[in-house]
Amino acid sequence: MALEEYKKKRKFERTPEPKAEKGREDGSSFVVQKHNAQNLHYDFRLERSGVLVSWAVPKGPPEKVGDKKLAIRVEDHPVSYKDFEGQIPEGEYGAGQVEIWDKGEYETLKWDEKDDGVIEFVLKGNKLQGRYSLVKTKGYGGNKESWLLIKNKPKD
Ligand code: MN
């Protein structure tokens, strides 16, 4: 995991977004940012190994058990991005308003990106709580990585 792609896409003299600095290695926070860019979407980010592993969720997180929402994997973001809210200026990458929609801690149940692409976790946020998973799917959206964000049944 690295922040080169994050850095490459942004001009830090123009955008108020955090610089591409790696954070502590041991955090386990998550954040969901409502991003009113060209297309409104929700950015779903899980802190892992000093970065925020990130997905763009066009329709927002699933609300009911069994719901699945498309989640496009995007570049890792710096950990400090979890506190970012503000306006990305017109003409810059991701131009538009960013606001924190939910945040908290999470617990990893499974993290497998090598084989199938299955990540299972428990969210402890204000709006999002309980078991969710991210599952990699095949071949949607050209060369972009497409995943599904799924709300799972609570464990008995
Ligand atoms: Mn975004």
Side-chain angles (χ1 to χ4, degrees):
M1 298 183 207
L3 295 169
E4 276 90 43
E5 200 184 340
Y6 175 87
K7 199 171 169 179
K8 209 158 53 181
K9 288 182 167 170
R10 290 168 178 81
K11 301 185 196 85
F12 293 105
E13 70 277 16
R14 301 224 183 115
T15 179
E17 295 166 280
K19 304 271 192 305
E21 283 157 4
K22 259 192 134 185
R24 300 166 34 174
E25 296 279 320
D26 58 346
S28 56
S29 61
F30 84 94
V31 67
V32 182
Q33 281 149 321
K34 187 175 176 182
H35 188 180
N36 201 359
Q38 193 166 15
N39 296 301
L40 173 70
H41 60 273
Y42 293 76
D43 288 304
F44 184 84
R45 312 188 195 280
L46 298 174
E47 181 176 4
R48 185 171 171 88
S49 304
V51 297
L52 298 175
V53 183
S54 298
W55 290 261
V57 184
K59 294 188 173 167
E63 288 169 17
K64 286 181 274 174
V65 169
D67 279 358
K68 299 173 184 183
K69 298 290 180 74
L70 178 68
I72 306 295
R73 178 84 177 257
V74 297
E75 74 276 17
D76 292 344
H77 279 50
V79 170
S80 53
Y81 210 94
K82 69 184 178 185
D83 299 316
F84 175 69
E85 292 191 297
Q87 182 75 28
I88 301 172
E90 206 57 41
E92 299 309 307
Y93 179 72
Q97 187 70 29
V98 175
E99 62 183 72
I100 295 171
W101 183 83
D102 197 15
K103 64 178 178 180
E105 296 288 310
Y106 80 101
E107 181 192 335
T108 306
L109 302 175
K110 177 179 184 171
W111 193 293
D112 176 7
E113 287 186 70
K114 289 204 174 72
D115 301 321
D116 297 332
V118 178
I119 300 171
E120 293 174 4
F121 47 93
V122 181
L123 296 179
K124 299 161 188 173
N126 294 313
K127 293 176 176 143
L128 300 181
Q129 287 169 2
R131 293 164 62 97
Y132 290 79
S133 50
L134 277 157
V135 178
K136 198 173 174 181
T137 67
K138 290 199 187 92
Y140 182 93
N143 56 9
K144 288 179 180 170
E145 266 206 71
S146 78
W147 296 60
L148 292 170
L149 177 59
I150 303 166
K151 184 168 168 65
N152 297 320
K153 266 191 278 199
K155 196 138 197 156
D156 322 297

